[in-house]
Amino acid sequence: QVYRSLGLNQSEIDKHFTGPAFLAWNRMGNLRRWAGPLPPAWHLKQLYLQYRIVERMRSLGMTTVLPAFAGHVPQGILRVFPRVNATRLGGWSHFDCTYSCIYLLDPEDPMFQVIGTLFLKELIKEFGTDHVYSADTFNEMTPLSSDPAYLSRVSSAVFRSMTGADPEALWLMQGWLFQHQPDFWHPAQVRALLHGVPLGRMIVLDLFAESKPVYQWTESFYGQPFIWCMLHNFGGNHGLFGTVEAINHGPFAARRFPNSTMVGTGLVPEGIEQNDMVYELMNELGWRQEPLDLPSWVTRYAERRYGAPNAAAAGAWLLLLRSVYNCTGVCVNHNRSPLVRRPSLHMDTELWYNASDVYEAWRLLLSASAKLGSSPTFRYDLVDVTRQAAQQLVSDYYLDIRSAFQRHALPELLTAGGVLVYDLLPELDSLLSSHSLFLLGRWLESARAMATSDREAEQYELNARNQITLWGPNGNILDYANKQLGGLVLDYYGVRWSLFVSVLVESLNSGRPFHQDQFNQIVFQVERGFIYNKKRYPAVPAGDTLEISRKLFLKYYP
């Protein structure tokens, strides 16, 4: 509405916004146009959804946070206002200027205040306000200058555009940029950006505090209030993971920090619907005075989760607590398992835990299935732990395949490759397909359900497929948001592995060396083919989870 009122036409606006699956990166100035344009119906449905969200939050006594103007503008602004001072930012991640290089309006240009204040006034007119606004001008984007005076002027201008519409405005800002680009954000630069806003009128999210806290090296954000946040998950990846010791002690250490300005705890995962226990733990810590006794907490957690005490289930959780959930040091949870990565001869199979703990937890959970099998949460956890065990087994078969290839042992290569491609991966796929929360069909159908026409449904489905695979037109951030879903394991990961094994076999048969670059070109066609295969995947589960898990166990338990 604001851009149209300023004289931009619809096609200029359409060229700015990305498709729905990539909007978060559009708002932070990283991407434009990719997987777009947004249909008019999308905007309307979002508007009505926002009414409902805001109303529900306020009815529960929650404080809503509205987005403010961060300075990223459509290129069309330059046509309407040829004299504005806007600079084209560089490419982001592995994207070139086709879909990146967004224009940033100079915060000191008078138009910045005009657009920023107009936008907030429109928002407030539409939704009312609780006076908290979010804006991230430099998230993973390098500012034009590292001069502290410039950075102070920028944050001051952003804040001024907020107070122009709401004199009581509070700015909520992600602190990710400080730890993401430490070469740029030295103490002087951080202090300048934070001090461009009056103390207490900004709240910083210490976004990855469990692994890379920023408050410690910025004297508690130089006096601005901050929230200690657990990020935990990147890309909504599946995979058992947690840093329970860091979570259990971190918030209390931050409270005790000299002159601490911590005002709360937060959860900021990139994706949810995985590792429920970690979120349960973090949510509980906000109400505690001191760290928990984790072994006794997790024993009670198992009882609460399954509705009955069970020694085998408690034993399984104690093993998971000390292994997958106890990553220490700087842990970044991107699932790098060969299962969900493009095959090569140099894949990472390192684990931060003892694999045998997961196999034993799997055995214990299965042994509890006679008593707990009717609990939906138990069935979910059984799928998840079996899935983790299968993920570990994929790494073992990969190492066998690689070793056989390097030793020119064709029979061994055929055996290991055959078991992986023709048995283990199809079995894993059927396990995942037995539970509604692990279905590719559910992911795709929920995207299609947003549509008001067949054409929109196709676009939304392509958005949903691209995000979990290529993440861009050319695999720009390949497998960043990998998921382990029934349908995806067979038709995407499985097909990749099948091709890899075939190419290695062919290499040994012909005596020609394996070339990763050539393989990448062929496998890209397979990956892209999945996005456009038009296959409809079931959105309802099939098969008995307990039976399939037991079958996998009898076949593969080491």
Side-chain angles (χ1 to χ4, degrees), residues 347-363:
M347 300 187 87
D348 182 6
T349 57
E350 286 293 302
L351 299 175
W352 62 93
Y353 61 92
N354 192 337
S356 62
D357 282 346
V358 167
Y359 293 130
E360 181 57 12
W362 182 22
R363 187 187 72 77

Side-chain angles (χ1 to χ4, degrees), residues 103-283:
Y103 283 89
L104 179 66
L105 190 54
D106 182 349
E108 294 177 275
D109 189 289
M111 270 318 284
F112 192 99
Q113 298 305 321
V114 172
I115 297 175
T117 302
L118 256 179
F119 175 61
L120 267 197
K121 280 182 172 164
E122 282 288 322
L123 269 188
I124 294 166
K125 192 170 82 188
E126 204 77 62
F127 305 116
T129 185
D130 296 318
H131 312 295
V132 187
Y133 306 97
S134 69
D136 297 288
T137 302
F138 298 123
N139 191 67
E140 300 194 4
M141 304 304 271
T142 309
L144 300 172
S145 160
S146 61
D147 175 17
Y150 166 77
L151 294 169
S152 253
R153 291 200 304 271
V154 167
S155 58
S156 173
V158 173
F159 184 62
R160 216 163 49 247
S161 78
M162 295 176 189
T163 53
D166 177 0
E168 295 175 60
L170 258 179
W171 178 2
L172 183 77
M173 187 181 85
Q174 299 183 72
W176 175 257
L177 68 174
F178 303 134
Q179 67 80 33
H180 183 259
Q181 289 180 299
D183 296 346
F184 180 92
W185 294 103
H186 297 147
Q189 282 69 27
V190 177
R191 185 193 302 253
L193 191 76
L194 297 177
H195 281 186
V197 177
L199 283 187
R201 299 294 296 275
M202 175 187 262
I203 301 173
V204 187
L205 302 177
D206 202 347
L207 215 70
F208 197 14
E210 80 272 32
S211 283
K212 299 180 178 179
V214 172
Y215 78 87
Q216 293 173 349
W217 58 270
T218 57
E219 297 169 27
S220 198
F221 291 98
Y222 301 112
Q224 291 289 20
F226 79 95
I227 296 174
W228 192 100
C229 296
M230 174 188 84
L231 205 165
H232 181 256
N233 180 274
F234 290 90
N237 300 162
H238 288 116
L240 302 183
F241 171 87
T243 55
V244 290
E245 289 299 335
I247 295 163
N248 195 27
H249 291 97
F252 305 102
R255 289 291 302 271
R256 290 192 306 269
F257 191 74
N259 302 319
S260 176
T261 52
M262 175 180 163
V263 292
T265 55
L267 292 85
V268 289
E270 284 191 350
I272 52 173
E273 298 187 8
Q274 36 71 33
N275 294 293
D276 297 4
M277 180 272 261
V278 177
Y279 299 92
E280 190 90 11
L281 173 64
M282 186 65 218
N283 273 313

